[in-house]
Amino acid sequence: MLAFFMDPSLDIWTKLLEVVYIIIGLITIYAGIKNLLDKENPARIGTAVFWCSFGIVCALGKWLPSKVSGLLVIIMIIPAIFKRVKPGKVNAPKKEYTEKQFEKIGYKLFIPALCMGFMSIIFALLNVSSLVGITVGVFVSMFLLFLYSKDNKPKVFLDDSERFLSAMGPLCMLPQLLGALGGIFTQAGVGDVIAGLVQKIVPEGNVNIGIIVFAIGMALFTMIMGNAFAAITVMTVGIGAPCVLAYGADPVVVGMIALTCGFCGTLLTPMAANFNIVPVVILDMKKRFGVIKNQVFIAITMLIIQIIYMILLK
């Protein structure tokens, strides 16, 4: 590990990205230890095993042997499979306290939240990982929140991080697993199989029909994968390249709009847990698929608009 951080051939941003993963790992390990010590948690051992294994892989995955990382992932999913990952004692602030704080802070509360998005955009424009930008934004937000109220000490942020992790549970792993699944599908040649099937349906040289199939395929495959970034590699190999790009369509336009077509699928699937399931859990909504149901009309409308865009701008 020390050799990595002392390596002069690596730029500071590459090293900072690993620092971000180490921070994430330490927070999840803290969640595991906190739940292990929580006698009110009905599944404290399974919960501790899940979060600690996850934290070790996040923090040290770059330096662990691949077999060790794989073993930790297997160990991690065992308590999740048997539903032994549960939240323990919740130390959420009382309603009276939050109302009092809102009266004091008001809508300035949105400034720290916007900081994270703003820093992410700035770092992305500088060709630095947006994850580093978000992390910098988080620390800036923490500082602002501390200025708003001296009650916001480091332990408050740490405990609230654990509270939200525990509320999400194993669902927090879904984006990473689905992203990895997209790479596996690509390596396994799923795109080539799709290409063979689609080319029998789409008339050769008919770019407009190719665009329609590509766009709808992006939405549907994203619904399966839960992640448009995982879907676009497979769908571009299978449909975009042979049926659209091969006939002179602008790859920048097609790629950009195809990705937004995938995002339309994100609105329609529980597999996009961080968008459609996690908010339901955090807000304790009665209807588990209430978010998705309210997004159906918007998603279909936007998909139609994106298809028209792609055809006109190709």
Side-chain angles (χ1 to χ4, degrees):
M1 182 189 294
L2 185 60
F4 173 84
F5 288 106
M6 297 298 291
D7 189 345
S9 65
L10 299 174
D11 60 66
I12 184 66
W13 305 117
T14 301
K15 296 174 183 178
L16 278 177
L17 182 60
E18 289 304 322
V19 171
V20 171
Y21 284 117
I22 290 172
I23 292 171
I24 294 171
L26 291 175
I27 291 172
T28 52
I29 290 172
Y30 173 78
I33 294 172
K34 187 172 183 293
N35 278 283
L36 180 64
L37 299 176
D38 183 3
K39 294 182 179 180
E40 293 186 26
N41 189 326
R44 59 196 185 103
I45 295 176
T47 304
V49 169
F50 177 83
W51 289 119
C52 288
S53 300
F54 185 17
I56 293 170
V57 173
C58 280
L60 304 175
K62 186 174 183 65
W63 300 282
L64 290 174
S66 56
K67 290 183 179 179
V68 174
S69 294
L71 179 61
L72 284 171
V73 171
I74 293 172
I75 292 172
M76 178 182 68
I77 64 172
I78 291 174
I81 290 172
F82 290 100
K83 298 182 179 181
R84 302 307 296 167
V85 182
K86 298 182 179 181
K89 183 179 179 181
V90 177
N91 295 315
K94 296 185 180 298
K95 184 179 179 180
E96 294 78 12
Y97 176 79
T98 56
E99 289 177 348
K100 183 180 178 181
Q101 288 296 96
F102 179 74
E103 290 175 3
K104 176 183 175 182
I105 299 171
Y107 289 101
K108 289 189 296 182
L109 185 65
F110 287 102
I111 296 175
L114 291 171
C115 261
M116 291 182 283
F118 178 74
M119 295 303 293
S120 174
I121 293 171
I122 293 297
F123 275 68
L125 291 173
L126 295 173
N127 292 320
V128 179
S129 171
S130 59
L131 187 57
V132 175
I134 291 173
T135 305
V136 172
V138 167
F139 280 102
V140 173
S141 300
M142 289 168 61
F143 177 71
L144 291 174
L145 289 169
F146 176 74
L147 294 179
Y148 291 166
S149 172
K150 296 299 186 288
D151 292 343
N152 292 323
K153 297 176 181 178
K155 192 172 187 306
V156 171
F157 297 115
L158 196 57
D159 285 341
D160 276 353
S161 297
E162 181 276 325
R163 178 162 62 90
F164 279 104
L165 277 175
S166 294
M168 290 185 287
L171 284 173
C172 71
M173 279 297 299
L174 198 55
Q176 295 95 316
L177 293 175
L178 291 171
L181 186 61
I184 292 170
F185 275 18
T186 302
Q187 291 295 320
V190 174
D192 296 328
V193 174
I194 294 173
L197 294 172
V198 171
Q199 287 173 19
K200 294 177 181 179
I201 301 171
V202 178
E204 186 175 351
N206 195 322
V207 179
N208 289 340
I209 293 181
I211 285 174
I212 293 170
V213 174
F214 185 29
I216 295 174
M218 271 298 300
L220 293 175
F221 210 72
T222 299
M223 289 175 67
I224 296 170
M225 301 293 292
N227 188 321
F229 292 103
I232 195 166
T233 53
V234 177
M235 298 307 293
T236 300
V237 170
I239 303 174
C243 299
V244 180
L245 300 179
Y247 296 99
D250 187 338
V252 175
V253 172
V254 170
M256 178 179 64
I257 300 178
L259 196 58
T260 58
C261 290
F263 295 150
C264 294
T266 301
L267 298 175
L268 300 171
T269 177
M271 296 299 284
N274 48 335
F275 294 106
N276 301 327
I277 299 299
V278 170
V280 174
V281 174
I282 292 175
L283 298 175
D284 196 22
M285 295 173 62
K286 294 180 180 179
K287 296 181 179 179
R288 186 179 180 187
F289 298 109
V291 172
I292 295 174
K293 289 178 180 178
N294 284 294
Q295 293 173 165
V296 171
F297 177 76
I298 295 171
I300 294 173
T301 302
M302 289 306 301
L303 179 59
I304 294 170
I305 292 172
Q306 299 302 327
I307 291 172
I308 294 171
Y309 273 166
M310 207 186 305
I311 290 173
L312 294 177
L313 300 176
K314 70 179 186 296

